[in-house]
Amino acid sequence: MNLKSSNLPEDTLRIIVRAFFSDLHIIIVDLILRDNYITEYSISTELKLSIDRTRLVTNNLINEKLINFEERLFKNLNSKIKLNKIIYQKGFKLRYLYFDKISFVYTIKKKFRIVVSRCLRENKNDSNSFLLCPRKICNKIYEMKETKKLSVDNEKGGFVCTNILNFNIICGSKLINGEKGISTKIINLKIIKTLAESMDFSNYRQIG
């Protein structure tokens, strides 16, 4: 299991996608984060999906300002030479997807943090909710304010237990909702809010 600091923009993106989007969105975001710069064609080929189906998902992520893209034009060279000039055939475009930390952090600061806060205000009855380690030899309980110190499983996007067990072994179990009657969505909203508040926005200032 690969554990990271929970205030990285990449970890926040994983949490958001897993909380609000489909499994296909999750897979595509993981591919973008894995390769850093990848075409929609490469994604559709790897996942054996049509380009239209792939673009439907990527357009959704782009519209929500979670990922960015740029189009690159490629030209096919014609073998014919006329008046000492190379004649180009009709070219084609490829759309490359990437994760822009500056743009993403700005989105979190201006959009998601506001949306999440509003949702939580509408559900005030869950103010005492907490996360629980399901491992029997641990059973560590974490309050929401403690999530800033937790690590994130970058493969699954959830928080993991950092409690120290015998022989200085870190527990590492995935934390679960420890309070009955509180929806997973609300827990995810609290996690996203905590991550957004713990991020150092001064290092990712919007240009322009």
Side-chain angles (χ1 to χ4, degrees):
M1 180 182 293
N2 188 6
L3 304 181
K4 293 184 176 181
S5 172
S6 62
N7 62 353
L8 294 177
E10 293 88 341
D11 296 327
T12 306
L13 174 61
R14 290 185 178 97
I15 293 290
I16 289 175
V17 174
R18 281 160 173 78
F20 298 108
F21 296 87
S22 69
D23 290 343
L24 187 54
H25 285 77
I26 295 171
I27 294 171
I28 289 178
V29 165
D30 285 344
L31 290 177
I32 295 171
L33 293 177
R34 182 197 69 186
D35 292 356
N36 296 321
Y37 196 66
I38 186 172
T39 65
E40 288 175 325
Y41 177 78
S42 297
I43 292 175
S44 65
T45 300
E46 183 166 345
L47 299 181
K48 295 180 172 58
L49 296 172
S50 68
I51 191 66
D52 290 337
R53 174 61 173 152
T54 301
R55 179 156 290 188
L56 184 66
V57 175
T58 57
N59 279 342
N60 185 206
L61 293 168
I62 291 169
N63 291 336
E64 294 293 341
K65 302 186 184 305
L66 297 178
I67 63 171
N68 294 74
F69 77 96
E70 68 174 4
E71 290 183 333
R72 299 180 63 183
L73 177 63
F74 294 86
K75 295 181 177 180
N76 295 319
L77 288 177
N78 195 323
S79 59
K80 295 181 179 180
I81 299 179
K82 185 178 182 180
L83 298 177
N84 296 322
K85 293 182 179 180
I86 299 177
I87 306 299
Y88 291 99
Q89 294 179 341
K90 184 178 180 181
F92 62 94
K93 288 182 178 180
L94 285 178
R95 189 153 77 161
Y96 285 79
L97 307 168
Y98 63 96
F99 176 58
D100 186 330
K101 294 182 181 181
I102 295 177
S103 175
F104 174 76
V105 171
Y106 184 79
T107 297
I108 291 295
K109 184 176 181 180
K110 293 296 184 181
K111 179 181 178 181
F112 272 93
R113 190 163 60 173
I114 297 174
V115 172
V116 168
S117 296
R118 183 172 66 248
C119 291
L120 291 176
R121 284 198 300 271
E122 296 171 356
N123 295 271
K124 295 180 181 180
N125 60 328
D126 67 325
S127 59
N128 295 320
S129 59
F130 57 89
L131 297 175
L132 172 68
C133 177
R135 195 171 182 179
K136 292 183 178 180
I137 61 173
C138 182
N139 287 136
K140 173 75 173 180
I141 296 175
Y142 297 89
E143 295 182 359
M144 277 299 160
K145 62 183 180 181
E146 297 181 276
T147 55
K148 296 179 182 179
K149 302 177 182 179
L150 295 176
S151 297
V152 171
D153 182 348
N154 66 354
E155 295 179 356
K156 298 181 180 179
F159 284 117
V160 296
C161 180
T162 56
N163 190 32
I164 304 296
L165 304 177
N166 295 331
F167 307 106
N168 290 325
I169 297 175
I170 297 177
C171 176
S173 299
K174 184 176 180 179
L175 299 179
I176 61 174
N177 179 9
E179 184 170 344
K180 295 182 179 180
I182 303 300
S183 68
T184 301
K185 180 180 179 180
I186 295 301
I187 294 297
N188 287 333
L189 287 171
K190 279 181 170 283
I191 291 173
I192 293 168
K193 184 173 184 292
T194 301
L195 287 174
E197 291 174 345
S198 66
M199 292 174 68
D200 184 1
F201 293 110
S202 63
N203 294 329
Y204 303 100
R205 291 176 180 172
Q206 181 83 342
I207 298 176

